[in-house]
Amino acid sequence: MSIFKRKSKEEKDIHNTDIPANNQSSETKSSGDTMTIADIEKAIEHYRGTPDAAVLLDVAGLAYLRGDYGAKEDIDKAISCYESLDALGDLKGRCMWGKCLQIKGLETGEKFLFSLGCYKIYDSYKNGYDPAIEELRMSYETGLFENIDSFEDFLAFCEDCSNIKDVN
């Protein structure tokens, strides 16, 4: 007996389901049109200050990071979304903010941004966001840090960096 349940062919994969925008007519919805980044941004403004805003900020951040929902890839807008999510106390927001800073640092050659991203990811892990450990492992595997020979040394380096006062 297996503890894993297989999906039946009738079950839908929720991660690949189109989400119709609420402001579209039912005729448009049935044609398969989905929500756009403009719809998400309007929803963020509408739900600002509620728990729903956090979910929408995460969706918008990923949209700008990946170019989903009709958004053009824009690392600065993704950073802004995740910075706002972090300000709501969301540790995933802090981790993703760090990941975006790392990406921007790699794209621009600014080592400080990459290191700041590592710090933010480590801080989210240290405060209880366990998935951040995989982001840290990927950061270590870039090989961009001199005199760090193991993942444990990298974590110790991150811990030393966490003693620096966060200005945000």
Side-chain angles (χ1 to χ4, degrees), residues 114 136-148 154:
F114 187 85
L136 288 169
R137 191 170 309 282
M138 286 188 281
S139 299
Y140 165 70
E141 290 172 357
T142 63
L144 294 174
F145 295 90
E146 295 177 10
N147 303 320
I148 295 181
F154 179 70

Side-chain angles (χ1 to χ4, degrees), residues 98-163:
K99 182 177 181 173
C100 291
L101 288 172
Q102 286 182 321
I103 292 167
K104 185 169 183 175
L106 289 172
E107 288 176 353
T108 62
E110 296 179 54
K111 293 178 183 178
F112 172 75
L113 285 178
F114 187 85
S115 297
L116 180 60
C118 285
Y119 162 72
K120 295 209 178 284
I121 294 169
Y122 179 76
D123 190 60
S124 68
Y125 171 70
K126 186 174 149 183
N127 285 295
Y129 185 65
D130 292 335
I133 196 73
E134 291 306 315
E135 295 297 334
L136 288 169
R137 191 170 309 282
M138 286 188 281
S139 299
Y140 165 70
E141 290 172 357
T142 63
L144 294 174
F145 295 90
E146 295 177 10
N147 303 320
I148 295 181
D149 299 319
S150 68
F151 185 61
E152 290 73 27
D153 290 346
F154 179 70
L155 291 178
F157 169 76
C158 290
E159 179 62 33
D160 289 342
C161 291
S162 71
N163 293 325

